[in-house]
Amino acid sequence: MPPRRSLTRDRVLKAAIEVADRGGVEAMTMRRVAQHLGVEAMSLYHHVPNKDAILDGVVDAVFAAIELPGTETGDWRDAIRARASSAREVLSRHSWALGLMDSRRNPGPATLRHHDAVLGVLRRAGFTLPMAVHAVSLIDSYIGGFVLQESNLPLSEDVPGVADDILGNLPRDEFPYLAEVITGHAQRPGYDHTKEFAYGLDLILEGLEARRK
């Protein structure tokens, strides 16, 4: 029988993330995390003092997984676009984190580094301080909202099937514009609802560029 791996803070946080990925943030109890690791709950307290410390740690781990915007000179929109795409990818895997990321009162080093890097891109691009704050709020609200919407949509696996089902029960005379969207857009060959993210992000970035100075 192979020896049991020693418990560390990183292992505890990794296990907590895996528990939340399966059952949501409400499942992330000390007992559940300990069960996932195959240890007694009391063993966790040698590495994390309480559940709040776990929540702080997993939020910081999620931020650490998101690509930082590049610091090299270039179009600020490219840097923010890459960061937004990475954030969407990471948060799609850990959508439970959306309700935690702005609620923690003890941000970790990865969280601080991330926010500072994003603000740095905007400030170096010429955004005033208030406009940089507006931009971060707008972009992050968009990312979070899109991920939340995407995680609850039944369209991700069978867009044509869902569209057919809705259309089959839709009185077209009563809802002509909804019918038009389904037949003239959602049912068109090659339609991919996930591309809406890039389109909406570009609109936001273009609007911010117009107000940059």
Side-chain angles (χ1 to χ4, degrees):
M1 180 177 180
R4 178 181 293 177
R5 292 172 56 195
S6 60
L7 208 58
T8 65
R9 180 177 181 275
D10 286 345
R11 282 195 67 209
V12 172
L13 296 180
K14 182 175 183 293
I17 289 172
E18 291 170 353
V19 168
D21 286 345
R22 295 179 181 179
V25 69
E26 62 276 4
M28 200 191 307
T29 64
M30 300 293 273
R31 182 177 62 83
R32 293 272 189 90
V33 173
Q35 287 177 345
H36 189 69
L37 287 164
V39 300
E40 296 295 329
M42 290 302 296
S43 302
L44 303 185
Y45 291 97
H46 296 291
H47 307 279
V48 287
N50 48 46
K51 184 178 177 180
D52 273 341
I54 289 184
L55 295 177
D56 289 341
V58 296
V59 166
D60 205 50
V62 170
F63 269 111
I66 299 173
E67 177 184 335
L68 290 176
T71 57
E72 67 279 358
T73 57
D75 191 330
W76 68 272
R77 287 169 294 189
D78 291 337
I80 296 298
R81 190 179 290 110
R83 175 261 179 181
S85 297
S86 176
R88 175 197 175 194
E89 180 184 348
V90 171
L91 292 173
S92 292
R93 299 196 305 267
H94 311 299
S95 58
W96 51 266
L98 287 169
L100 292 177
M101 295 180 79
D102 294 322
S103 68
R104 309 313 301 160
R105 300 181 64 178
N106 298 295
T111 303
L112 297 173
R113 187 162 49 248
H114 185 93
H115 289 317
D116 192 72
V118 174
L119 286 166
V121 167
L122 297 170
R123 293 291 280 140
R124 288 191 299 272
F127 282 86
T128 64
L129 185 56
M131 273 305 301
V133 174
H134 293 327
V136 170
S137 177
L138 177 59
I139 293 166
D140 284 359
S141 295
Y142 175 70
I143 296 169
F146 195 94
V147 169
L148 187 61
Q149 180 188 60
E150 200 170 33
S151 67
N152 288 288
L153 281 175
L155 303 177
S156 56
E157 296 180 359
D158 182 20
V159 173
V162 173
D164 287 345
D165 289 344
I166 294 174
L167 191 62
N169 296 304
L170 187 71
R172 298 195 187 194
D173 292 342
E174 189 175 352
F175 304 105
Y177 300 109
L178 288 175
E180 180 185 36
V181 165
I182 294 172
T183 59
H185 192 63
Q187 289 184 328
R188 290 177 66 86
Y191 170 71
D192 181 0
H193 76 282
T194 63
K195 293 180 179 178
E196 298 292 343
F197 179 79
Y199 186 85
L201 181 61
D202 281 344
L203 287 180
I204 291 172
L205 298 180
E206 288 169 9
L208 290 171
E209 172 65 14
R211 296 194 176 193
R212 181 162 59 102
K213 294 181 180 179

